[in-house]
Amino acid sequence: MKLEKSIYYYTKGQKHLVGAVNSPVRAFKSVGGVPLIIEKAKGSKIYDVDNNEYIDFVLSYGPMILGHRNKYVESDIKKALRKGYTFGATSKGELKLAKLVCDAFPSIDKIRFVNSGTEAVLSAIRLARAYTGKQKIIKFSGCYHGHADALLVAAGSGLATLSLPGSDGVPKDAVKNTLIAEFNNIESVKKHFAKHKDIAGVIIEPIAGNMGVVQPEAKFLKELQSVVSKHKALLIADEVMTGFRSKFGGAQDLLGLKADITCLGKVIGGGFPVGAYGARNEIMEMVAPLGSMYQAGTLSGNPIAMACGYSTLKELKRKDPYKKFNKVAGYLEKAILEAAHKYEVEVQVNRFGSMINPFFTKEKVTNFATAQSCNTDQFKTFFWKLIEHGVFIPPSQFESWFLSTKFSKSDFEKTVAAINIAMETVAKKSK
Ligand SMILES: *Cc1c(COP(=O)(O)O)cnc(C)c1O
């Protein structure tokens, strides 16, 4: 296949863009080779600058749940554009999207829009501290909550459990109030509560999606809920990835979780930069201008972004694709496992709703440590074979694949054929 133009623009891009990307995963570091430079996308497909066509399972890491350039959404964006780009004052679109989101989340009375998931999370943490008057936060290793200083710990290194910064430039002081626990291990949470008095909250991805898809055990979430409330801390559900992904609303409802604060992003912007955090009235009334917790944003609630988000959610609600997502993900799981079995490659598949990914390991993946047992060389081979056969999945073993409503039967068949070829290649190389 030809990737000449991607190579050309990637090389040229190095001069004025850091690593020729604006977010590290786009550089394909963990799979090697040249990252695709994208020209355009439509429906279930994405096209690189060499005009190669791919079935898109990246979907911009989640937001494009309706596929690319949905015609209703695009028309609503155009309408909004004709009214102006940003006003520095409230406009009606913000009210509409806020109502839609609050109605879909029983745990949210009020919401504040921001511009990214990172901003949503860092504001939610500030809010938990403001509300409880306490300082410490518990996060789980392998969960990613954006790149705010306090949360850039144990998002992927061997230093995970030591509460050491996961990035250069993060001051020790910024993470000294961050405690690390293990996903699906309630004792690791209880230990912190036994030792520390001033824990403001626990933040969790209710379905982890940033170490690959990892489901919580039912008992774990239930116990987590009771431990957190017993200690008068807040439970922060980071649903930036899972919000509107597996149901119209939050994964928290599917899992029976009662979040105190919820963080959103990705799907709620439909492809524009939107994040949000929300909670019941008594918590949200801490936020300025109602309360004493300050948080602001020049472009927050941007009218074009609100129009895109609202239109996307409205269309999602109408389509109600969630049952079908579940079914298709089930077929996909079956196809991956059959291919793995046929070529004798050790693979686990985890999925939840429209999030799914294979792990190249024989261990059941239930937390970050077991995710780390994967054979990333096998993933690398698998990834590039899929690219060669027109299937674009995230360039990392530790990312979820996403489904869109545009993913068709013929896309499915093509994907399964590609997976079989890729699995055969993995098997050959492993011998
Ligand atoms: C993507 C993601 C974030 C960060 O959102 P950005 O918009 O990239 O800042 C935070 N939490 C979770 C669970 C995410 O998946």
Side-chain angles (χ1 to χ4, degrees), residues 7-211:
I7 294 170
Y8 172 78
Y9 287 110
Y10 180 61
T11 310
K12 197 174 154 91
Q14 300 286 347
K15 183 153 189 215
H16 296 299
L17 276 175
V18 182
V21 295
N22 280 305
S23 198
V25 70
R26 298 178 197 168
F28 282 30
K29 273 254 157 100
S30 66
V31 290
V34 175
L36 303 181
I37 307 295
I38 300 302
E39 177 72 26
K40 62 179 183 186
K42 175 78 185 153
S44 63
K45 310 286 197 316
I46 191 161
Y47 301 82
D48 68 17
V49 283
D50 290 285
N51 208 26
N52 297 305
E53 178 187 279
Y54 308 92
I55 297 163
D56 187 10
F57 287 97
V58 179
L59 298 171
S60 194
Y61 294 88
M64 306 315 295
I65 193 164
L66 297 175
H68 296 279
R69 298 190 54 200
N70 176 279
K71 68 177 177 199
Y72 301 112
V73 176
E74 196 153 300
S75 145
D76 286 347
I77 293 170
K78 283 180 181 157
K79 272 185 217 151
L81 272 173
R82 287 199 285 267
K83 292 185 176 173
Y85 306 161
T86 176
F87 308 124
T90 297
S91 59
K92 284 185 289 190
E94 292 158 78
L95 277 60
K96 279 164 67 177
L97 186 56
K99 179 172 178 354
L100 199 58
V101 174
C102 290
D103 286 350
F105 278 81
S107 66
I108 303 181
D109 294 325
K110 282 189 176 62
I111 200 166
R112 167 63 60 82
F113 288 114
V114 292
N115 304 290
S116 67
T118 295
E119 251 189 279
V121 169
L122 74 86
S123 308
I125 299 284
R126 186 180 302 149
L127 180 55
R129 287 171 169 158
Y131 182 80
T132 59
K134 297 190 257 187
Q135 294 292 309
K136 291 196 159 53
I137 297 290
I138 298 178
K139 86 172 274 291
F140 294 92
S141 55
C143 284
Y144 177 69
H145 304 291
H147 65 89
D149 276 354
L151 293 157
L152 219 46
V153 207
S157 87
L159 303 171
T161 44
L162 302 174
S163 281
L164 289 178
S167 159
D168 276 350
V170 173
K172 282 208 184 68
D173 276 359
V175 292
K176 72 166 194 254
N177 288 315
T178 308
L179 306 167
I180 308 302
E182 192 181 46
F183 203 81
N184 276 328
N185 177 350
I186 195 65
E187 290 311 317
S188 71
V189 179
K190 285 184 179 164
K191 215 173 62 191
H192 287 312
F193 275 108
K195 188 163 167 210
H196 301 280
K197 290 285 158 264
D198 65 337
I199 297 175
V202 177
I203 184 163
I204 188 165
E205 291 179 71
I207 300 292
N210 285 287
M211 48 179 152

Side-chain angles (χ1 to χ4, degrees), residues 269-283:
F272 277 74
V274 178
Y277 61 103
R280 58 186 181 269
N281 284 321
E282 86 184 290
I283 297 177

